[in-house]
Amino acid sequence: MTSSKDTISSLPADLLIAEEQLQGAVVAALASGAARRWSVNLRFENLRILPVALRLARALLAKDCPVLIVWPDAGAAALARRDADDLSPFTMDFNQLTRNQSSVLDTRVLLAVGPQPSDYNDFEAVCDGHAGPVVMLNGRLEDAAVGIGSVARERRRGFVATWQQAYWLQPLEGGALLRSYPETWQLFRLDSDGYRPLSSFETRPD
């Protein structure tokens, strides 16, 4: 579905501008109260996600959004604590968080970095046990190996269906796809003089 009346986002010129746009979209999404689970994605190959995650966490703290950074495994959490001593008290892995979850409601923003299909059950349990909003950065919940069949259908109706997209930036052959909340999905075409907006969509196009 396209509409010429939709506001067209500007395509960021580099990664740092994309991160600023992403951070603004996350803040706007959290402030909207429209959902409790938000997904953000920078779909670049070989992207080092750790610095992106740390900058997003600091941006949220600067906006008075208390944050808890959680990683799927202990090794990644340890690297994050090494690289960001200031964020170390708010950084842990899924197992640590599960052990520390108690009857006391934690309403901080849970920033989950890079969960994969192999982490599906643990991540679902972490989210179900958290009282505050969750932001998933460059995560992937669906596995091509279970893309069809009853397991995939059950997941799409359940946990996967609870997520809203706050930010998405993906280079394409001859173009790019962008969604920056609260604006719609935007498709850009690469011309000889740069990128130009082509179409907008209410939902992510195939």
Side-chain angles (χ1 to χ4, degrees):
M1 179 179 178
T2 63
S3 172
S4 60
K5 296 180 180 179
D6 291 328
T7 302
I8 301 296
S9 307
S10 59
L11 194 66
D14 55 40
L15 179 60
L16 287 179
I17 295 176
E19 285 189 52
E20 292 176 0
Q21 197 176 55
L22 180 154
Q23 293 162 9
V26 170
V27 170
L30 292 171
S32 74
R36 288 185 56 245
R37 295 172 180 171
W38 295 96
S39 177
V40 294
N41 289 271
L42 291 169
R43 307 289 286 190
F44 297 108
E45 289 188 15
N46 303 318
L47 175 67
R48 291 186 63 243
I49 198 61
L50 174 56
V52 177
L54 298 180
R55 286 190 286 266
L56 175 56
R58 291 189 176 110
L60 290 172
L61 289 170
K63 293 292 185 178
D64 296 322
C65 292
V67 66
L68 179 62
I69 314 165
V70 62
W71 301 78
D73 62 88
L79 286 175
R81 285 191 290 267
R82 183 200 67 184
D83 288 0
D85 186 64
D86 57 317
L87 299 175
S88 181
F90 321 118
T91 303
M92 59 185 64
D93 60 62
F94 284 178
N95 288 333
Q96 288 176 308
L97 181 58
T98 300
R99 290 196 301 269
N100 291 340
Q101 282 177 335
S102 65
S103 58
V104 179
L105 296 181
D106 190 339
T107 58
R108 288 177 290 181
V109 176
L110 185 67
L111 175 58
V113 187
Q116 297 300 303
S118 58
D119 309 307
Y120 185 96
N121 292 331
D122 290 340
F123 185 42
E124 183 178 18
V126 163
C127 291
D128 288 344
H130 187 69
V134 183
V135 175
M136 176 174 60
L137 174 61
N138 272 32
R140 187 164 62 90
L141 298 180
E142 297 193 77
D143 189 350
V146 291
I148 58 176
S150 59
V151 173
R153 287 194 296 270
E154 182 179 346
R155 288 185 174 186
R156 290 193 187 103
R157 286 195 300 265
F159 186 52
V160 173
T162 64
W163 295 87
Q164 300 292 323
Q165 197 74 48
Y167 191 83
W168 180 285
L169 179 57
Q170 179 181 11
L172 303 170
E173 184 177 354
L177 182 64
L178 172 68
R179 198 279 163 107
S180 182
Y181 185 89
E183 296 168 12
T184 56
W185 292 82
Q186 314 291 343
L187 182 64
F188 291 81
R189 184 183 66 205
L190 178 59
D191 292 333
S192 58
D193 57 346
Y195 288 91
R196 67 180 68 248
L198 185 64
S199 300
S200 61
F201 305 85
E202 291 297 327
T203 58
R204 190 176 80 188
D206 294 336

